[in-house]
Amino acid sequence: MTTRTEQDSLGEMQVPEDAYYGAQTQRAVENFPISGQPMPPAFIKALARIKKYAAQVNLELGGLDSKRAEAIRQAAEEVIRGAHLEQFPVDVFQTGSGTSSNMNMNEVLAGRANEILGGPRGGRKPVHPNDHVNQGQSSNDSVPTAIHLAALLEMEQKLKPALRGLWQSLAQKAEAFQGVVKTGRTHLQDAVPLSMGQVFSGYARQIQLGMVRIEAAQQGLYELPLGGTAVGTGINAEPGFAAKVIAGLAKETGMPLIEASNHFEAQAGKDACVMASGALKAIAVSLHKIANDIRFLASGPRFGLGELILPTVQPGSSIMPGKVNPVICEAVIQASAQVMANDAAVMLGGAGGYFELNTMMPLIARNLLESIGLLAASAKTLAERCVDGLKVDEERARSTVEGNLSLATFLAPAIGYDKAAALAHEAHQTGRNVRELALEKNLLPEDELERLLSNLTGEA
């Protein structure tokens, strides 16, 4: 591999000839061979957005000339569109402030800007990564700002549309399955009947509430730490710099972004990220419950519950011909488990704020953004490849109802709890159903018995 010589404040480094980045990035590549995972593309693109508007505002404030500012803006736009992502090789597990990734961005944008201005790729002239690209910023405020921005954009563009789609799919099934009576189950034991539509209405409401929780979590992420620079005091940032950059970001994204009301909190604490991760965890729990219920209700098909019929998406076994497994549900359950694990990492990352700075920000970024992506893909897949194709076996669902011992519950208001319990026990011991046994014992007139058992689900 051919290399060229680049320099930083510590001296010279050899970097790949085709790299836009410089010495600091190469040091980070060599210093952190931990996971082989670079920072998420969503984070990289969000950081590039910040640099784009920083250059524009620095031009307005007189800190940059038009040629440098325009070259930085053009380079940043390329990264935002998804170009040059291979130029960001720094491992997630790096310096806790994310300084290595911030400098990676500064060097790439400077290196590309210098090429745009007619010079060789890379270098520090005429555009300098620190003096020009990073002007008015610190890693300590730009990195957490990028985390907030990336999370918000991923929620808006991916997660919320996917959740809306799943909610609609579940709500449609709730309507379609209305009136299909089935046995309820609590504690994994038979309980009073309800309709399959009522079951799915509960699932739909879980997802709807998940969307509400995301909206609540976004409120904290709208506050951006940019403007605090090193420790929250705003040293070396021109007055109004952060407000103008954030205004540009808000206009471009259509989101109500604002400068943090207290920069010391915004840089030392990551509570907004922890809260957002908690909302994601709650959605993961909902998805786990829904997917798990569906696969159990579809178990069998002959010797399980068999009340639901899953769409056939692939063969289920390499050795048992004709077997079809609940593969979509299982994939969603595994993804949900990963989101729950990610939340633990974000929680520990949020606790990694010591004095004036959190030093686990790359970890928070990686896990928060992965969770958003996993939930978005899981919700979309569950809706399109499972829920939309679900059918209910009405005969199977209803077949369990007449023999359900819990039908005695409907008679309890008329005959009392003790008599109803004795009736259920006798029905169980004799293998008979509650209705015929109640008639035989003349516990109630037949018309009264039919009235009490006429609407088992409470649906109109």
Side-chain angles (χ1 to χ4, degrees):
M1 179 181 67
T2 58
T3 63
R4 68 173 190 269
T5 302
E6 288 276 354
Q7 187 170 353
D8 62 9
S9 60
L10 294 183
E12 294 183 345
M13 289 290 292
Q14 296 299 306
V15 305
E17 184 64 37
D18 62 352
Y20 282 115
Y21 56 77
Q24 286 207 48
T25 299
Q26 187 61 37
R27 291 187 195 279
V29 169
E30 295 178 11
N31 284 336
F32 309 118
I34 308 297
S35 70
Q37 299 179 48
M39 293 294 285
F43 171 85
I44 296 299
K45 293 176 184 180
L47 188 56
R49 287 180 190 269
I50 296 166
K51 302 297 180 180
K52 180 183 78 170
Y53 281 101
Q56 180 177 311
V57 170
N58 282 322
L59 171 62
E60 295 173 10
L61 296 176
L64 275 183
D65 62 83
S66 60
K67 287 186 177 180
R68 286 189 176 97
E70 175 56 27
I72 294 170
R73 186 205 63 77
Q74 182 179 329
E77 282 283 7
E78 292 174 359
V79 174
I80 294 165
R81 291 196 299 269
H84 316 310
L85 291 179
E86 77 283 353
Q87 297 289 328
F88 299 92
V90 177
D91 202 276
V92 166
F93 300 99
Q94 53 168 287
T95 175
S97 61
T99 298
S100 295
S101 283
N102 185 44
M103 282 308 304
N104 187 181
M105 179 64 70
N106 291 334
E107 289 183 339
V108 167
L109 296 186
R112 174 62 182 137
N114 289 332
E115 187 177 60
I116 290 169
L117 293 172
R121 179 175 296 197
R124 299 156 77 83
K125 292 182 180 180
V127 179
H128 193 286
N130 298 81
D131 295 340
H132 302 131
V133 183
N134 199 60
Q135 187 176 5
Q137 308 147 67
S138 164
S139 301
N140 299 354
D141 64 349
S142 59
V143 167
T145 298
I147 295 173
H148 283 214
L149 185 59
L152 287 166
L153 288 169
E154 291 290 280
M155 287 174 175
E156 287 294 325
Q157 296 171 3
K158 296 179 181 179
L159 180 57
K160 290 166 77 172
L163 290 175
R164 278 194 296 270
L166 178 57
W167 168 68
Q168 289 168 353
S169 293
L170 292 167
Q172 287 168 3
K173 291 300 176 183
E175 184 175 352
F177 297 159
Q178 188 176 14
V180 179
V181 184
K182 64 181 292 294
T183 287
R185 297 175 182 89
T186 60
H187 304 272
L188 301 182
Q189 303 295 305
D190 298 340
V192 294
L194 74 170
S195 77
M196 189 68 83
Q198 289 170 325
V199 171
F200 273 77
S201 75
Y203 300 155
R205 180 59 173 161
Q206 279 188 277
I207 299 304
Q208 190 176 42
L209 288 172
M211 292 188 284
V212 171
R213 293 182 182 107
I214 288 296
E215 293 281 353
Q218 286 182 307
Q219 300 305 308
L221 295 174
Y222 289 142
E223 280 202 27
L224 302 183
L226 195 69
T229 64
V231 296
T233 61
I235 186 173
N236 291 350
E238 288 292 326
F241 166 80
K244 288 178 178 292
V245 172
I246 291 170
L249 291 168
K251 184 176 180 180
E252 180 178 291
T253 61
M255 295 188 295
L257 306 173
I258 58 172
E259 186 174 352
S261 60
N262 186 298
H263 284 284
F264 307 103
E265 179 278 332
Q267 290 179 213
K270 289 292 157 282
D271 298 347
C273 292
V274 173
M275 179 178 175
S277 182
L280 298 174
K281 177 179 66 175
I283 293 170
V285 170
S286 295
L287 287 178
H288 186 285
K289 189 263 193 293
I290 293 166
N292 209 33
D293 275 11
I294 288 173
R295 69 170 174 170
F296 274 104
L297 289 171
S299 60
R302 292 192 174 180
F303 301 108
L305 299 180
E307 295 175 355
L308 290 176
I309 303 170
L310 291 169
T312 303
V313 296
Q314 69 180 53
S317 173
S318 62
I319 190 172
M320 292 176 280
K323 193 169 191 291
V324 177
N325 292 334
V327 293
I328 301 301
C329 294
E330 290 170 359
V332 169
I333 288 167
Q334 290 177 84
S336 298
Q338 184 62 62
V339 172
M340 296 176 208
N342 287 352
D343 178 66
V346 173
M347 176 187 67
L348 291 170
Y354 305 108
F355 304 113
E356 280 67 59
L357 182 67
N358 180 283
T359 54
M360 296 181 75
M361 285 193 284
L363 176 75
I364 292 172
R366 184 253 179 224
N367 286 280
L368 188 63
L369 293 172
E370 181 181 72
S371 291
I372 295 170
L374 286 172
L375 290 177
S378 294
K380 187 173 189 293
T381 301
L382 185 61
E384 294 178 357
R385 303 194 68 80
C386 181
V387 176
D388 286 348
L390 274 179
K391 297 178 181 178
V392 63
D393 187 331
E394 296 188 28
E395 184 178 348
R396 178 75 173 224
R398 290 191 175 109
S399 69
T400 62
V401 174
E402 191 62 26
N404 189 338
L405 301 178
S406 293
L407 291 185
T409 306
F410 292 90
L411 309 183
I415 66 175
Y417 185 93
D418 291 339
K419 285 185 179 180
L423 184 66
H425 286 306
E426 184 174 346
H428 179 52
Q429 290 167 358
T430 61
R432 302 175 68 185
N433 67 51
V434 167
R435 185 193 301 268
E436 66 181 24
L437 199 57
L439 281 172
E440 181 182 295
K441 290 179 173 294
N442 294 315
L443 293 176
L444 288 167
E446 185 173 356
D447 59 345
E448 177 68 4
L449 181 65
E450 292 302 321
R451 185 186 68 79
L452 292 172
L453 297 178
S454 63
N455 187 1
L456 300 178
T457 68
E459 291 181 331

